[in-house]
Amino acid sequence: MYQARRRYYLCLVFAGLYFSCKMVVALEFQPGVGVGVEYTDNARLEPDNVVNDLITIGYVGAGISEDEGPLTYNANTFFNNQSYTQDTFPDQHQLYFAGRADWVMIKDRFNWFLSDNFSQRTVNTLAANTPDNLQDTNAFNFGANIRFPISARQSFSLSPSFSQYYYEVQATDNKQYLLAANWNYLMSRVNNVGLNLSARKVNYTETDIFGNTITDTIFTNLAFIFSGQRLRSNYSINLGATNVKRDSGEDGTGFAGAINWSVNVSSRSTFETLVSTDLTDSSRVSQSLTEDPANGNPTDVQITTDVIRNGVFNLAYLRNDASLHSRIWGEFRKLAYSNSPSDRVIRTYGISLDYPFTQLLSSGAYISYNRTKQLDTDRLDQYHIVGGNLKYNFARNLYSSFDIKYRTKDSTFASAIYDEFSVFASLVYGFGDVQRPSRVGGY
């Protein structure tokens, strides 16, 4: 069933891209193929019995986009095959797809939206992201925005939507039904105030390890929203409360809120910060981080059927000079789970630099640190990653990349300690990078 599902997604994606590019003249369609090879001195990411391996990679992918007219959309997909020449792991076949579409049926009144993301993520977020700890996941979302202008300053809108989350290994598949009502008032040319009321039902479609039905959860949220712009900055403030009700009888209400602030420090640099806390489910938090990695790493969130309290303080500084592009970030996140012993505090810091030597040759470097403390078990994990890369363009659609990386993990759990040195090289013709989900991202 698992292989059949993967083949179905693959055929659907490439068939859709192929026929779309034939039907839409203004469509931008970019296919590509590539090959890569990677050497690692610790393929299993273990403290003992270290195994060297050489991984060969074959890649095929495509990108498609349309940003004009009432129907706009974009999608990126790739399929790769990874072969471990020393048979450390069986050959890996991995599919990735990310797409979204928006159709404006009535301008400023009614539009449909749709998105789908198929990728791989870790089963146990505290374990190494080797192939035996990866699973296919899919997140689908479909809905509409219905707007009712009241006056020149006031508007009201309804947003019904449906989401479905699939996890290959974990019994946490669920369907979500959301209805949100929004009122917005334009106080001045650059300041808004609003009110949001939403109800979301999470329906778990599987049973737990004991064969029991997983209880559904209903989240009801009421929030006041303030937003505005200044000459060099903009902000939004969301303050309210969330009520949680489960079929098992577990009820509760808690504060929920968020503050976003972004300021242009100069014409080339930006400072951004986010402070938020909310009561929600792990599927929704993980997917939001997958769609916007600038707000955190999705592998920090352990997928469960619990209600979780997600508290975040995130800040980032971005600077784009004529030649050097840099980003510095830091994050504090606290996750509290209602039933599972997965409560954790996460601190993450990092810096990345990109520098083009010439029009054909560019380079980059990155450093990151992650500290994860398990509150229930008092387990502490610390991750360090240091790496650099080079990219050379032989022609407009032909380039080669080279990446060297060292990563290490220290832990109070002895079997989780490891360090690894790896080197990767690829040659790509056409669109995109050679993607390596099991060797990139996470720890």
Side-chain angles (χ1 to χ4, degrees), residues 133-422:
N133 188 37
L134 290 176
Q135 63 180 333
D136 284 340
T137 67
N138 191 71
F140 172 82
N141 185 49
F142 175 69
N145 291 314
I146 310 167
R147 301 175 182 86
F148 305 92
I150 301 174
S151 67
R153 288 180 175 267
Q154 295 186 73
S155 65
F156 177 78
S157 66
L158 288 173
S159 300
S161 67
F162 167 77
S163 301
Q164 185 169 12
Y165 297 91
Y166 159 76
Y167 302 94
E168 176 194 354
V169 176
Q170 294 170 291
T172 52
D173 294 2
N174 63 86
K175 298 179 180 179
Q176 302 194 11
Y177 307 87
L178 169 69
L179 178 61
N182 301 276
W183 170 78
N184 184 72
Y185 179 75
L186 183 64
M187 294 189 299
S188 67
R189 187 174 59 87
V190 293
N191 292 288
N192 293 269
V193 63
L195 183 67
N196 172 268
L197 175 63
S198 66
R200 177 166 57 95
K201 181 177 182 180
V202 182
N203 177 23
Y204 291 97
T205 57
E206 296 189 88
T207 57
D208 61 21
I209 58 175
F210 303 106
N212 301 317
T213 301
I214 302 171
T215 57
D216 296 342
T217 310
I218 297 178
F219 297 93
T220 305
N221 180 264
L222 176 65
F224 293 94
I225 302 171
F226 308 90
S227 62
Q229 295 181 346
R230 296 293 182 266
L231 181 63
R232 299 175 61 181
S233 66
N234 60 75
Y235 71 92
S236 66
I237 303 173
N238 183 315
L239 302 174
T242 299
N243 175 265
V244 181
K245 183 177 181 180
R246 304 205 77 167
D247 290 348
S248 60
E250 302 175 49
D251 298 341
T253 300
F255 171 76
I259 300 175
N260 280 277
W261 182 54
S262 175
V263 56
N264 294 322
V265 181
S266 68
S267 60
R268 295 182 176 180
S269 59
T270 304
F271 176 79
E272 300 173 349
T273 186
L274 165 68
V275 182
S276 74
T277 181
D278 62 339
L279 288 170
T280 184
D281 63 287
S282 56
S283 293
R284 201 167 184 86
V285 176
S286 178
Q287 184 56 32
S288 68
L289 299 181
T290 300
E291 294 174 352
D292 188 5
N295 288 331
N297 191 332
T299 60
D300 288 337
V301 182
Q302 179 64 50
I303 299 297
T304 69
T305 58
D306 290 17
V307 174
I308 66 172
R309 165 68 72 176
N310 175 41
V312 182
F313 173 56
N314 182 303
L315 51 86
Y317 175 77
L318 301 88
R319 184 176 180 86
N320 292 319
D321 292 309
S323 55
L324 180 64
H325 299 170
S326 57
R327 178 173 180 260
I328 303 173
W329 72 91
E331 178 186 274
F332 172 88
R333 182 182 299 272
K334 183 176 182 180
L335 295 165
Y337 290 71
S338 60
N339 296 308
S340 305
S342 300
D343 295 1
R344 61 190 63 185
V345 172
I346 304 154
R347 294 179 175 87
T348 305
Y349 312 97
I351 180 172
S352 63
L353 305 171
D354 293 293
Y355 181 80
F357 289 105
T358 67
Q359 290 184 340
L360 300 179
L361 179 63
S362 59
S363 66
Y366 49 90
I367 300 173
S368 66
Y369 168 76
N370 177 289
R371 182 184 187 274
T372 300
K373 178 69 175 292
Q374 290 287 110
L375 301 181
D376 295 289
T377 62
D378 208 36
R379 172 175 169 173
L380 177 64
D381 296 283
Q382 298 184 79
Y383 311 88
H384 302 80
I385 298 179
V386 179
N389 55 70
L390 291 172
K391 179 180 178 181
Y392 186 81
N393 295 291
F394 296 99
R396 187 172 64 89
N397 290 324
L398 179 65
Y399 68 88
S400 178
S401 62
F402 177 83
D403 185 275
I404 184 170
K405 176 170 60 179
Y406 175 76
R407 57 179 174 171
T408 181
K409 176 180 178 181
D410 295 320
S411 176
T412 54
F413 192 60
S415 63
I417 299 173
Y418 68 80
D419 61 81
E420 181 209 27
F421 173 78
S422 63

Side-chain angles (χ1 to χ4, degrees), residues 98-158:
R100 63 123 194 116
D102 189 283
W103 180 29
V104 179
M105 289 187 65
I106 305 175
K107 187 177 180 181
D108 298 327
R109 296 290 188 275
F110 187 90
N111 71 284
W112 296 98
F113 58 86
L114 179 149
S115 67
D116 190 71
N117 289 270
F118 186 92
S119 61
Q120 291 73 43
R121 64 159 289 139
T122 53
V123 179
N124 180 359
T125 57
L126 294 179
N129 64 330
T130 51
D132 53 7
N133 188 37
L134 290 176
Q135 63 180 333
D136 284 340
T137 67
N138 191 71
F140 172 82
N141 185 49
F142 175 69
N145 291 314
I146 310 167
R147 301 175 182 86
F148 305 92
I150 301 174
S151 67
R153 288 180 175 267
Q154 295 186 73
S155 65
F156 177 78
S157 66
L158 288 173

